[in-house]
Amino acid sequence: MNLLSIVVPCFNEEETVEIFLKEIQKTLNDYNFEIIFINDGSSDNTLKNIKDLANANSNVKYISFSRNFGKESAIYAGLRNASGDLICVMDADLQHPPSLLPEMIESVTNEDYDAVAARRTTRKGEAPIKSFLSSFFYKLFNKISEMGLVEGATDYRVMTRQVVDSILQLSEYNRFSKGLFQWVGFNTKWIPYENIERVAGETTWSLWGLFKYSIEGIVAFTTAPLSVSTLLGTAISIIAFIYMIIIIARYLLYSDPVQGFATTMCAILLLGGMQLLSIGVLGKYLEKTYVETKNRPIYIVKESNIDDE
Ligand code: UDP
Ligand code: MG
């Protein structure tokens, strides 16, 4: 029977890991599966609780990071250490309903799909501003990156070994998983579900955190913002040239001295602002390039019960 590896990133999930395991055991009682908990530098008792679960269950594995490296790094570590023929990525807080698992497994095993991913159709229990900004992000991202991210796409997915091996080939430091999953291609089936709230604990995502995350995503998957300054510069130069001819013509025809302190100020401020903005965009890409060239490891393991770590 195929082995299913379930990769679960955990950051301060002391209350949820045990509930999570129980729920999975209930759902998958006649499947052959292993769970890989990645303790992403939690400051609570997450690691201790995971170790207790690992001692009691031989199919529970764990990797514990030396500090918090972020969910994307945790997913990468989990995928690298998964030994299954099918691999599932799932949150620890049960916001990704285990009840969908049998259907997802069925689709990759018996239908012609390489991956099955869950898509939230509602955002119940989420601040309206968060939903609005998120929906705006998907539209913007798809427009400028031509990636076709599915709105409401989550990181909850089951993939074949082949898909996971492809993702592992993308060893970049800036890991925007949603984009990486999409980028490797393959046949993906989307399963819609209604958003549910966490069983316990709290989300670690602030609005500011999400904003930074979306910028990371855009910078990682499209260089379109870099062309914006070229376009703006060209447009403004053309307008300025036409305006210059108008001024010269007016002077020659009517000897009309040009006035306008306001016009000058507006032009200076507008141009200055746009230049700074363009330098900022350039800087963002330079920053990412700088970070990538350092070639630092994506995560550092402090301890694990998996042999080859
Ligand atoms: N997570 C992680 N590292 C982090 C932040 C979160 O591994 O730095 C894990 C967290 O434990 C959970 C999943 O990522 O299993 C999703 O996090 P959360 O529930 O806070 O996000 P939300 O569901 O609100 O998007
Ligand atoms: Mg959650």
Side-chain angles (χ1 to χ4, degrees):
M1 194 175 178
N2 281 348
L3 173 68
L4 170 72
S5 299
I6 305 177
V7 170
V8 192
C10 304
F11 175 61
N12 294 343
E13 299 282 1
E14 59 178 3
E15 296 165 85
T16 53
V17 281
E18 193 180 348
I19 314 176
F20 176 83
L21 178 65
K22 287 236 170 72
E23 207 53 42
I24 293 290
Q25 281 167 337
K26 220 168 29 185
T27 322
L28 298 181
N29 59 6
D30 36 52
Y31 286 86
N32 177 20
F33 70 94
E34 63 169 7
I35 294 189
I36 305 174
F37 286 113
I38 296 96
N39 173 37
D40 184 16
S42 304
S43 52
D44 63 1
N45 278 325
T46 305
L47 180 59
K48 186 188 163 293
N49 294 358
I50 292 176
K51 278 182 171 173
D52 289 347
L53 296 174
N55 286 335
N57 303 274
S58 60
N59 61 349
V60 172
K61 309 271 161 57
Y62 67 87
I63 300 167
S64 185
F65 287 175
S66 58
R67 64 168 169 88
N68 179 260
F69 278 88
K71 182 183 176 184
E72 311 293 324
S73 307
I75 292 179
Y76 182 70
L79 294 181
R80 256 184 56 172
N81 287 280
S83 46
D85 314 289
L86 292 180
I87 294 98
C88 169
V89 178
M90 213 169 164
D91 283 0
D93 55 12
L94 290 178
Q95 276 188 304
H96 294 163
S99 54
L100 296 181
L101 267 177
E103 184 189 344
M104 292 168 89
I105 297 170
E106 167 69 20
S107 298
V108 274
T109 353
N110 296 329
E111 291 169 38
D112 194 22
Y113 288 107
D114 306 293
V116 185
R119 184 172 70 84
R120 284 194 293 187
T121 50
T122 57
R123 291 177 156 265
K124 193 173 67 193
E126 195 179 71
I129 178 80
K130 236 178 168 177
S131 312
F132 171 77
L133 290 176
S134 159
S135 150
F136 174 72
F137 165 74
Y138 278 105
K139 292 207 178 76
L140 179 73
F141 186 90
N142 286 338
K143 192 128 214 128
I144 62 179
S145 72
E146 295 169 358
M147 282 269 294
L149 276 195
V150 173
E151 189 170 344
T154 63
D155 292 338
Y156 181 20
R157 44 171 61 224
V158 174
M159 297 165 280
T160 60
R161 167 60 40 200
Q162 191 189 18
V163 177
V164 170
D165 285 343
S166 313
I167 292 168
L168 290 176
Q169 283 180 36
L170 311 181
S171 56
E172 59 221 70
Y173 188 82
N174 295 302
R175 303 192 72 78
F176 181 67
S177 290
K178 284 190 205 341
L180 298 178
F181 290 147
Q182 181 83 15
W183 192 90
V184 294
F186 296 100
N187 249 347
T188 305
K189 177 177 180 177
W190 291 94
I191 298 187
Y193 76 100
E194 300 220 338
N195 194 34
I196 37 184
E197 297 186 29
R198 313 178 128 249
V199 278
E202 265 172 43
T203 174
T204 45
W205 288 100
S206 61
L207 211 54
W208 177 239
L210 283 172
F211 175 72
K212 284 199 298 192
Y213 182 63
S214 45
I215 299 287
E216 302 284 294
I218 291 175
V219 174
F221 281 93
T222 167
T223 49
L226 285 175
S227 321
V228 171
S229 5
T230 318
L231 290 177
L232 274 178
T234 315
I236 291 172
S237 304
I238 294 172
I239 295 169
F241 188 73
I242 297 171
Y243 190 51
M244 191 177 78
I245 292 175
I246 295 175
I247 291 175
I248 295 173
R250 264 195 0 197
Y251 181 73
L252 293 177
L253 293 177
Y254 313 110
S255 310
D256 186 10
V258 185
Q259 331 169 311
F261 171 71
T263 328
T264 318
M265 274 318 275
C266 287
I268 290 176
L269 290 178
L270 180 75
L271 282 176
M274 280 192 216
Q275 278 169 356
L276 286 178
L277 186 80
S278 308
I279 296 173
V281 171
L282 208 63
K284 195 76 203 161
Y285 281 87
L286 187 66
E287 172 206 316
K288 293 295 163 198
T289 315
Y290 174 60
V291 171
E292 290 292 347
T293 52
K294 289 201 253 189
N295 227 335
R296 290 192 177 161
I298 296 168
Y299 60 89
I300 291 172
V301 177
K302 187 173 172 203
E303 54 177 305
S304 165
N305 66 348
I306 302 175
D307 298 338
D308 57 19
E309 268 299 333

